[in-house]
Amino acid sequence: MQFKSLVLSNTEVSPGYFRMRMTVPAQLSAARPGQFVMVRVRDAIDPLLRRPFGIYDVLILEPDFDGGSPQTCLDILYKVVGKGTETLSTMHHGDHLDVLAPLGNGFDLGKPGEEKILVGGGVGLAPLYFLAKELVKTDCVHLFVGGRTRDDILCITEFERLGIETYVSTDDGTLGEQGLVTEVLEKELTRRKGKASIFACGPHPMLKAVAALAERHGIPCQVSLEAYMACGVGACLGCVVPGKEHTEEAPDFRCVCKDGPVFDFQELQWK
Amino acid sequence: MQFKSLVLSNTEVSPGYFRMRMTVPAQLSAARPGQFVMVRVRDAIDPLLRRPFGIYDVLILEPDFDGGSPQTCLDILYKVVGKGTETLSTMHHGDHLDVLAPLGNGFDLGKPGEEKILVGGGVGLAPLYFLAKELVKTDCVHLFVGGRTRDDILCITEFERLGIETYVSTDDGTLGEQGLVTEVLEKELTRRKGKASIFACGPHPMLKAVAALAERHGIPCQVSLEAYMACGVGACLGCVVPGKEHTEEAPDFRCVCKDGPVFDFQELQWK
Amino acid sequence: MNRPDTSVEIAGIKLRNPVMTASGTFGYGQEFAEYMDLEKIGAIITKGLSLRPKAGNRTPRIVETKGGMLNAIGLQNVGVDAFIREKAPYLRTINTPVIANIYGNSLDEYRQVAHLLDTVPEVAGMEVNISCPNVKEGGIVFGTDPKAAFEVVRQVREATIKPVIVKLSPNVTDIVAMARACADAGADALSLINTLTGMAIDLQKRRPVLANVTGGLSGPAIKPVALRMVWQVSRAIELPIIGIGGIMTATDALEFLLAGATAVQVGTANFLDPAASQKVAEGIEHYLAENGIADVKELIGALRV
Amino acid sequence: MNRPDTSVEIAGIKLRNPVMTASGTFGYGQEFAEYMDLEKIGAIITKGLSLRPKAGNRTPRIVETKGGMLNAIGLQNVGVDAFIREKAPYLRTINTPVIANIYGNSLDEYRQVAHLLDTVPEVAGMEVNISCPNVKEGGIVFGTDPKAAFEVVRQVREATIKPVIVKLSPNVTDIVAMARACADAGADALSLINTLTGMAIDLQKRRPVLANVTGGLSGPAIKPVALRMVWQVSRAIELPIIGIGGIMTATDALEFLLAGATAVQVGTANFLDPAASQKVAEGIEHYLAENGIADVKELIGALRV
Ligand SMILES: Cc1cc2nc3c(=O)[nH]c(=O)nc-3n(C[C@H](O)[C@H](O)[C@H](O)COP(=O)(O)OP(=O)(O)OC[C@H]3O[C@@H](n4cnc5c(N)ncnc54)[C@H](O)[C@@H]3O)c2cc1C
Ligand SMILES: Cc1cc2nc3c(=O)[nH]c(=O)nc-3n(C[C@H](O)[C@H](O)[C@H](O)COP(=O)(O)OP(=O)(O)OC[C@H]3O[C@@H](n4cnc5c(N)ncnc54)[C@H](O)[C@@H]3O)c2cc1C
Ligand SMILES: Cc1cc2nc3c(=O)[nH]c(=O)nc-3n(C[C@H](O)[C@H](O)[C@H](O)COP(=O)(O)O)c2cc1C
Ligand SMILES: Cc1cc2nc3c(=O)[nH]c(=O)nc-3n(C[C@H](O)[C@H](O)[C@H](O)COP(=O)(O)O)c2cc1C
Ligand code: FES
Ligand code: FES
């Protein structure tokens, strides 16, 4: 659906990373982890297109006065990388945003009771918190999170507050282990050889490495992809990725916005 | 010169009309009445071009604490008509603007002691206050101001506070006499037949009528023109008006930005 | 005052108002049903259809530029058979004319696509895209050579009895010559403009942003070019014109009507606001009512120069 | 690291850096002296000069559009004699090459202007504007017909021993064909692009905004088209290219270099910021230093496709 959101807060949680809370219609409480929103940052031509962001959290705020009604809110966690996110970062409580949500398909939560491994790279962590909140209700959840440096490791105390064991790694060793998140993940997977399934979100090379690990260890793995998007609703065909069987002659392109952003890694081509 | 200004205040003085005060370098205290400023409303492409505004006032604020230094300020008075002025109207104390000033040539203040008649139409009043402040030092000044309706008659109490006699007219008679400012002016000119000179700023049809009156009564008259401007410095040739002797073969175009915005009415073609 | 008459007719297709959705920016219609009332606009133009399914270009396929965007989708589409099978049934349920945007890799393909769609009842007419930069025959790009354009249009014209609208490329020296060739070949109406060919570069990577290197520029940036071409063609050619290019608001749309367009298409704006086309249509009606204009047709070509 | 080498050479003219000011957007240079250091840029291109003073079009001559602006100045200028008399003396005092942008109403006028400027020491070279929409001979617009372009360039080439740069119009089907014609006729370098022809309409007045009806679109909106054309021409033609169109920042300028331009011109940006050209030049130097690039020439045509 399309609606106007009121910005409630917009806080820099780490240098260059912001968390924004906005009001949303009550229907959004039915949003599923892995779905995303498209935000029109400004009613102007620069930036022109909407910007996509994963849903970091959906929550219902109790009214702070008698007779008030509860307010559904949605959080996004974003990194300032260009014009759109820069503009977003200057917004304050009281500003309004034009939002499309919820978009795309969320994660398949899998069988309750199974062990769940979340893998996040940088701001790719964003959709995993909403997912984690669901999963911890029934499952044992582990979080593997990587970043370039300490400042790129976001919000892990919130995961820990859910009782999730977290494994942190940074390229420069300023927090957690030094190395790639997938290296840490690999060690753990090898150690465990147990039944588990993976939910990953982050830069494409990381996802590719995670998919390779899942393949090797024969465990299920869902990945949440990013792509340049114009429409977010499956109309422009800007955001496609090739499905496993895709060829020029028998095209099988999937829209990240509509068929994703979450895919089973086996659906996709990982050349 | 080009400089960054700090917006000090931005107040709606009448529905749709704002007065903005901004800090300027001390050199601006040498600005002359009739000169103008070009404001870059936003560091973005929409609006793209700078917007020109007359100088309503230049003043020096005394420091409000011991040891502070005086701050030169510049006021503009503007009407919200499109994207640029709309954006300007949303600015607050603390915002910054990129400004070129002072631009163009000001009014020639004429001989001290002479009677001076100011004629303003709507927001064309803007540059006349700065002028009036100078003129009242030595001259007897009258202000004729017209507008569509009451709300378009701006800031006349400020002129009155300078001890200036004001003649107000509105098209709909909601303030002052009903009729065009030039009708009121004509009556007064006829009544006086005295020595006086006219300083006029407003919509083109008003200026044309004023010029015709000046011609008829044989009195000096300077007009401040408006034109679509891109550069404000005489480079783009977007803002030209034909000089008296202008022909296709022997072009004599004047730049409103550089040769004006104030012209002796006799320099121009009034077809 | 009575409600103003917003209806127009293009090539025999009756539209409740002059607002259509531009090909490639509105999917096959259904994608937008959640966000707007598909029966509040004049017509839906489908994504470009080819004889067989087409993969399109590699990604990135889109990038934002100042005041616009570049796309190089490469005409990915399900193909005309799948369209008839999978997309048309939904469109049948909507009381709004559907115009199929078509293209071919050769003259023959153009003809075949038109022929296949000729008997599909959901299709009110065809918009022939001759402006795709990748489509050529014998080295001649249909969209930029009047003779080649004439030939495409003639073949499509022969393959269908449905209205034939030809969509022109702005990447030409003489848009009027292109329009005339299409008119001579039997087009019922002209759509203009398609995208301007452009390019974006990623400085750090030292690469073009688009995998296809170049792409088509659309959005507010191109509106002045589009208005100019509509105006030029409308003064020279007798066919009804559908104005396209950077239309975001009812004001934009009305400017195109003044310039000589009988209808307009909303493209890139659908991405900014999925209800944009409906809002433009409502805005036009509002403008007519506000200004006491009884019939939108009074505005067509009413520019005073 | 040493200061990076920002110098480039165009048609034998040595520039301290690749940044010039675009014709018609920088007056005759002096207008900007108050706002920037004219000796911090590579070259100054004058307003277009014709044989006799020219009145230009009626007003309004400019209007803002989304991401750009339209102008229809109509080549108002003081004429080549007054330029030599009144403008050149100031330019002599500035240690920056001055390139005279010239045009004529006929082949003969082009030749005469070039001839008159040939002996003016302040003029380092000439940029021949063949893209003015109002200038034609025998019904053929020089800027859109390769044969006519060839002829203009050949005549100018014969009239002067100074470097001849030809400025191309983007309003053509085949920019490479135009470029090739100019190269064949003896041009030393090519400037592209001039403005795209566009139009703006005032809905309430039902009139074109510009007195001239149509005008030239410039500014950020046209950058993708300009980049594409520079890239196309640079791959096909051996001449040095000056990239123009929507350059606002050093990043924009560097993208043009990657696409194959040896130098760039800053146009509309001068209106937004009278020090824009200097800032672009400084930004290029800064980028080179930051990225350990010793010589700006390493970037020319360095796009990897
Ligand atoms: C489904 C999805 C979910 C996302 N979730 C998040 C999130 O939760 N937090 C977050 O910080 N970022 C997220 N991103 C990436 C985010 O959308 C981009 O960082 C953002 O659009 C950049 O906009 P900009 O104007 O700041 O940058 P610019 O570089 O100026 O953007 C220019 C254009 O590129 C597109 N773009 C640039 N980078 C990306 C990218 N990585 N992916 C897709 N489009 C891009 C923009 O949409 C825009 O069209 C997500 C992307 C997708 C597709
Ligand atoms: C020398 C000079 C002094 C001025 N002084 C004042 C003043 O003191 N107070 C005030 O309210 N207005 C003044 N104006 C008019 C003011 O510049 C315009 O109202 C303003 O630029 C409109 O911008 P916009 O974006 O809100 O409107 P838009 O209509 O969106 O503007 C679009 C374009 O048209 C131009 N434009 C629109 N109207 C005018 C106009 N009347 N004159 C010149 N350009 C115009 C804008 O600069 C811009 O390029 C002055 C104009 C000039 C030339
Ligand atoms: C993502 C995208 C895909 C497009 N696909 C097609 C197409 O398949 N066929 C076609 O004729 N035009 C296509 N176009 C062009 C549009 O229909 C329209 O002519 C152009 O975008 C200009 O209008 P706008 O500025 O309103 O977007 C496409 C445009 C975009 C942005
Ligand atoms: C107001 C104005 C006047 C111009 N006059 C000329 C001219 O006299 N000769 C010429 O060759 N180009 C002229 N141009 C075109 C510019 O030199 C340049 O090619 C064009 O504006 C694109 O660059 P930009 O987007 O950086 O402005 C003019 C452009 C503008 C905006
Ligand atoms: S973003 Fe348009 S189809 Fe996915
Ligand atoms: S505004 Fe550019 S010359 Fe006056």
Side-chain angles (χ1 to χ4, degrees):
Chain A
M1 57 192 301
Q2 182 177 17
F3 51 86
K4 280 254 175 294
S5 276
L6 177 73
V7 176
L8 293 179
S9 62
N10 192 21
T11 328
E12 190 158 13
V13 294
S14 182
Y17 293 92
F18 287 73
R19 178 172 176 175
M20 176 184 275
R21 175 161 299 174
M22 57 185 98
T23 65
V24 293
Q27 295 96 304
L28 265 287
S29 58
R32 276 164 294 119
Q35 289 188 299
F36 67 102
V37 305
M38 290 281 273
V39 175
R40 183 136 188 227
V41 175
R42 196 196 263 161
D43 183 17
I45 60 158
D46 186 23
L48 185 76
L49 298 172
R50 287 171 184 272
R51 300 296 193 250
F53 298 99
I55 299 176
Y56 181 78
D57 202 358
V58 175
L59 62 174
I60 297 172
L61 293 187
E62 289 311 317
D64 50 7
F65 56 95
D66 276 356
S69 40
Q71 173 62 56
T72 309
C73 299
L74 186 150
D75 285 9
I76 60 173
L77 180 70
Y78 62 94
K79 180 178 181 179
V80 174
V81 299
K83 184 89 188 171
T85 46
E86 214 168 275
T87 309
L88 210 56
S89 73
T90 64
M91 306 213 128
H92 306 287
H93 175 96
D95 287 338
H96 287 267
L97 289 172
D98 178 340
V99 180
L100 302 184
L103 297 172
N105 297 310
F107 290 102
D108 176 347
L109 300 188
K111 286 202 216 68
E114 256 186 11
E115 223 172 317
K116 303 289 158 65
I117 295 175
L118 314 189
V119 188
V123 77
L125 189 80
L128 299 182
Y129 181 70
F130 189 29
L131 174 67
K133 264 179 56 178
E134 282 305 311
L135 292 177
V136 289
K137 292 179 183 164
T138 52
D139 308 329
C140 173
V141 183
H142 308 272
L143 172 70
F144 292 79
V145 55
R148 226 173 31 77
T149 184
R150 186 172 41 190
D151 291 344
D152 302 312
I153 305 297
L154 309 168
C155 304
I156 42 168
T157 52
E158 296 193 48
F159 285 85
E160 286 168 348
R161 235 178 276 140
L162 295 175
I164 290 173
E165 195 189 0
T166 63
Y167 301 76
V168 173
S169 54
T170 51
D171 297 358
D172 62 0
T174 45
L175 196 70
E177 261 190 66
Q178 173 159 14
L180 297 176
V181 61
T182 43
E183 292 164 6
V184 183
L185 175 65
E186 168 142 47
K187 267 187 272 175
E188 281 297 311
L189 287 181
T190 314
R191 201 165 58 77
R192 277 168 212 260
K193 355 190 181 56
K195 228 177 140 60
S197 55
I198 297 180
F199 302 79
C201 184
H204 199 80
M206 181 200 97
L207 295 181
K208 205 170 151 177
V210 172
L213 287 178
E215 179 83 61
R216 183 129 36 89
H217 290 266
I219 54 180
C221 170
Q222 295 168 60
V223 295
S224 179
L225 302 186
E226 287 191 5
Y228 282 84
M229 291 186 173
C231 71
V233 301
C236 73
L237 305 180
C239 67
V240 298
V241 289
K244 183 141 215 122
E245 311 292 332
H246 172 87
T247 61
E248 274 295 308
E249 298 70 40
D252 174 22
F253 267 130
R254 314 289 170 89
C255 286
V256 172
C257 68
K258 212 181 163 206
D259 306 320
V262 177
F263 295 93
D264 186 316
F265 82 103
Q266 291 184 313
E267 283 176 74
L268 304 176
Q269 236 171 58
W270 295 96
K271 19 111 229 240
Chain B
M1 58 192 299
Q2 181 177 17
F3 51 85
K4 280 253 175 296
S5 276
L6 177 73
V7 175
L8 293 179
S9 62
N10 192 21
T11 327
E12 190 158 13
V13 293
S14 184
Y17 293 93
F18 288 73
R19 178 174 176 173
M20 176 183 274
R21 175 161 297 173
M22 57 184 98
T23 64
V24 294
Q27 295 96 303
L28 266 286
S29 57
R32 276 165 294 120
Q35 289 188 301
F36 67 103
V37 305
M38 289 281 273
V39 175
R40 182 135 188 228
V41 174
R42 194 196 264 161
D43 183 17
I45 60 158
D46 185 24
L48 184 77
L49 298 172
R50 287 172 184 271
R51 299 296 192 254
F53 298 98
I55 300 177
Y56 181 79
D57 201 0
V58 174
L59 61 175
I60 297 172
L61 293 188
E62 288 310 317
D64 50 8
F65 57 94
D66 275 359
S69 40
Q71 173 63 55
T72 309
C73 298
L74 185 149
D75 286 8
I76 59 173
L77 179 69
Y78 62 94
K79 179 177 182 179
V80 174
V81 298
K83 184 89 187 172
T85 46
E86 213 169 275
T87 309
L88 210 57
S89 74
T90 64
M91 306 210 128
H92 305 288
H93 175 99
D95 287 338
H96 287 267
L97 288 172
D98 178 341
V99 179
L100 301 185
L103 298 172
N105 296 311
F107 290 102
D108 176 346
L109 301 190
K111 285 201 218 71
E114 255 185 10
E115 224 173 316
K116 303 288 158 68
I117 294 175
L118 314 189
V119 188
V123 76
L125 189 80
L128 298 183
Y129 181 69
F130 190 28
L131 174 66
K133 264 179 57 179
E134 282 305 311
L135 292 177
V136 289
K137 292 179 185 164
T138 51
D139 307 329
C140 173
V141 182
H142 308 272
L143 173 70
F144 291 78
V145 54
R148 225 173 32 78
T149 183
R150 185 175 41 192
D151 291 345
D152 302 312
I153 304 298
L154 308 168
C155 303
I156 43 167
T157 52
E158 296 194 48
F159 285 84
E160 287 168 349
R161 233 178 279 140
L162 294 176
I164 290 173
E165 196 188 357
T166 63
Y167 301 76
V168 174
S169 55
T170 51
D171 297 359
D172 62 359
T174 46
L175 197 70
E177 262 190 66
Q178 174 160 12
L180 296 176
V181 62
T182 42
E183 293 163 6
V184 183
L185 176 63
E186 168 143 48
K187 268 186 274 177
E188 281 297 311
L189 287 180
T190 314
R191 200 166 59 79
R192 277 168 213 259
K193 354 188 181 57
K195 227 177 140 63
S197 54
I198 297 180
F199 303 78
C201 183
H204 199 79
M206 181 200 96
L207 294 181
K208 207 170 150 178
V210 172
L213 287 177
E215 178 84 62
R216 181 132 33 92
H217 291 264
I219 55 180
C221 169
Q222 296 170 59
V223 295
S224 178
L225 302 186
E226 287 191 5
Y228 281 82
M229 292 186 173
C231 71
V233 301
C236 74
L237 305 180
C239 66
V240 298
V241 288
K244 184 139 214 121
E245 310 291 331
H246 171 87
T247 60
E248 274 295 309
E249 298 69 42
D252 174 23
F253 267 129
R254 314 288 171 90
C255 285
V256 171
C257 68
K258 211 181 165 206
D259 306 319
V262 177
F263 295 92
D264 186 317
F265 82 103
Q266 291 184 313
E267 284 178 72
L268 304 177
Q269 236 170 57
W270 294 96
K271 19 110 228 243
Chain C
M1 185 174 140
N2 291 330
R3 271 184 72 167
D5 183 355
T6 58
S7 70
V8 297
E9 196 177 308
I10 287 271
I13 308 170
K14 289 191 172 43
L15 312 177
R16 63 171 66 86
N17 63 52
V19 182
M20 315 179 175
T21 54
S23 177
T25 66
F26 206 68
Y28 301 97
Q30 192 164 11
E31 294 85 345
F32 288 80
E34 180 186 342
Y35 300 100
M36 58 172 280
D37 184 346
L38 296 173
E39 299 187 353
K40 287 278 160 65
I41 56 175
I44 295 169
I45 318 255
T46 68
K47 174 73 192 160
L49 296 169
S50 54
L51 192 57
R52 272 171 286 276
K54 199 163 145 58
N57 294 324
R58 282 178 303 123
T59 56
R61 291 175 168 189
I62 51 176
V63 60
E64 186 169 314
T65 65
K66 293 286 175 192
M69 62 176 282
L70 289 167
N71 89 80
I73 307 299
L75 291 166
Q76 177 186 338
N77 78 98
V78 297
V80 69
D81 286 339
F83 169 76
I84 295 170
R85 218 169 41 240
E86 295 161 19
K87 308 291 180 182
Y90 172 77
L91 292 169
R92 195 175 312 150
T93 68
I94 292 169
N95 180 26
T96 293
V98 173
I99 295 169
N101 182 279
I102 65 167
Y103 81 96
N105 283 312
S106 62
L107 280 178
D108 196 52
E109 266 188 45
Y110 271 106
R111 203 186 41 237
Q112 287 187 58
V113 176
H115 183 71
L116 285 170
L117 289 169
D118 186 48
T119 50
V120 178
E122 292 76 26
V123 173
M126 286 172 229
E127 182 181 59
V128 188
N129 178 6
I130 58 167
S131 30
C132 180
N134 306 313
V135 176
K136 50 183 114 179
E137 188 165 88
I140 293 174
V141 181
F142 295 129
T144 53
D145 180 71
K147 285 196 213 74
F150 178 92
E151 201 45 37
V152 179
V153 176
R154 201 181 56 82
Q155 301 245 357
V156 170
R157 175 70 291 167
E158 281 176 7
T160 179
I161 56 163
K162 300 204 185 219
V164 172
I165 303 163
V166 184
K167 183 161 175 183
L168 301 181
S169 165
N171 301 296
V172 297
T173 306
D174 187 350
I175 191 73
V176 172
M178 292 300 301
R180 186 166 291 123
C182 297
D184 291 348
D188 300 303
L190 301 170
S191 289
L192 53 155
I193 58 174
N194 211 313
T195 53
L196 283 162
T197 307
M199 182 172 174
I201 288 175
D202 183 322
L203 175 60
Q204 285 310 328
K205 295 191 187 144
R206 298 196 188 175
R207 284 190 187 282
V209 178
L210 298 177
N212 188 54
V213 183
T214 62
L217 183 64
S218 64
I222 69 169
K223 192 185 114 187
V225 175
L227 265 183
R228 182 263 295 183
M229 289 189 165
V230 166
W231 180 71
Q232 284 180 325
V233 171
S234 81
R235 298 199 322 160
I237 309 290
E238 278 296 305
L239 295 181
I241 292 172
I242 306 171
I244 320 170
I247 296 176
M248 301 274 132
T249 64
T251 301
D252 294 331
L254 290 161
E255 290 169 18
F256 275 90
L257 297 192
L258 289 180
T262 300
V264 297
Q265 293 177 18
V266 172
T268 301
N270 297 311
F271 305 153
L272 281 59
D273 181 353
S277 55
Q278 181 178 346
K279 287 177 187 165
V280 169
E282 287 166 353
I284 289 174
E285 179 166 342
H286 183 75
Y287 176 85
L288 298 175
E290 284 272 294
N291 290 274
I293 301 165
D295 190 334
V296 72
K297 291 180 277 299
E298 291 173 28
L299 294 177
I300 298 170
L303 191 73
R304 296 178 292 163
V305 289
Chain D
M1 186 175 140
N2 292 331
R3 271 184 73 166
D5 183 355
T6 58
S7 70
V8 297
E9 197 177 307
I10 288 272
I13 308 171
K14 289 192 171 45
L15 311 177
R16 64 171 67 87
N17 62 52
V19 182
M20 314 178 175
T21 54
S23 177
T25 67
F26 206 69
Y28 301 97
Q30 191 164 10
E31 293 86 345
F32 288 81
E34 179 187 343
Y35 300 100
M36 58 171 281
D37 184 345
L38 295 174
E39 300 188 352
K40 287 280 159 66
I41 56 175
I44 295 169
I45 319 257
T46 67
K47 174 72 192 160
L49 296 169
S50 54
L51 192 57
R52 271 171 287 276
K54 198 164 144 59
N57 294 323
R58 281 178 304 124
T59 57
R61 291 175 168 189
I62 52 177
V63 60
E64 186 169 315
T65 65
K66 293 286 174 193
M69 63 177 282
L70 290 167
N71 89 78
I73 306 300
L75 293 165
Q76 176 186 340
N77 78 99
V78 297
V80 68
D81 285 340
F83 169 77
I84 294 170
R85 218 170 41 239
E86 294 160 21
K87 308 292 180 180
Y90 173 78
L91 292 169
R92 195 176 311 150
T93 67
I94 292 169
N95 180 26
T96 293
V98 173
I99 294 168
N101 182 280
I102 65 166
Y103 82 97
N105 282 312
S106 62
L107 279 177
D108 196 52
E109 266 189 44
Y110 271 108
R111 201 185 44 237
Q112 286 188 57
V113 175
H115 183 72
L116 284 171
L117 289 169
D118 185 49
T119 50
V120 178
E122 292 75 25
V123 173
M126 285 171 230
E127 181 180 62
V128 188
N129 179 6
I130 59 167
S131 29
C132 181
N134 306 313
V135 176
K136 50 183 113 177
E137 188 165 88
I140 292 174
V141 181
F142 295 130
T144 54
D145 180 71
K147 284 196 212 77
F150 179 92
E151 201 46 37
V152 178
V153 176
R154 201 180 56 82
Q155 301 247 357
V156 170
R157 175 70 293 167
E158 280 174 8
T160 179
I161 57 164
K162 299 206 185 217
V164 172
I165 303 164
V166 184
K167 183 161 175 183
L168 302 181
S169 166
N171 301 297
V172 297
T173 306
D174 187 350
I175 191 75
V176 172
M178 292 299 302
R180 186 166 291 123
C182 297
D184 291 347
D188 299 303
L190 301 170
S191 290
L192 53 155
I193 59 175
N194 211 313
T195 52
L196 283 161
T197 307
M199 181 172 174
I201 289 175
D202 184 323
L203 175 60
Q204 285 310 329
K205 295 191 188 141
R206 298 197 189 174
R207 284 191 187 282
V209 177
L210 298 176
N212 189 54
V213 184
T214 62
L217 183 64
S218 64
I222 69 168
K223 191 185 116 188
V225 175
L227 265 182
R228 183 261 295 184
M229 290 190 165
V230 166
W231 181 70
Q232 285 180 325
V233 172
S234 81
R235 297 198 326 159
I237 309 290
E238 278 296 305
L239 293 182
I241 292 173
I242 305 171
I244 321 169
I247 296 176
M248 300 276 132
T249 64
T251 302
D252 295 330
L254 289 162
E255 290 169 17
F256 275 89
L257 297 191
L258 290 180
T262 299
V264 296
Q265 292 177 18
V266 173
T268 301
N270 297 312
F271 305 153
L272 281 58
D273 181 352
S277 56
Q278 181 178 346
K279 287 176 187 165
V280 170
E282 287 166 353
I284 290 175
E285 179 165 345
H286 183 74
Y287 176 85
L288 298 174
E290 284 273 292
N291 290 274
I293 301 166
D295 190 334
V296 73
K297 291 179 276 300
E298 291 173 29
L299 294 178
I300 298 169
L303 191 74
R304 296 178 292 163
V305 288

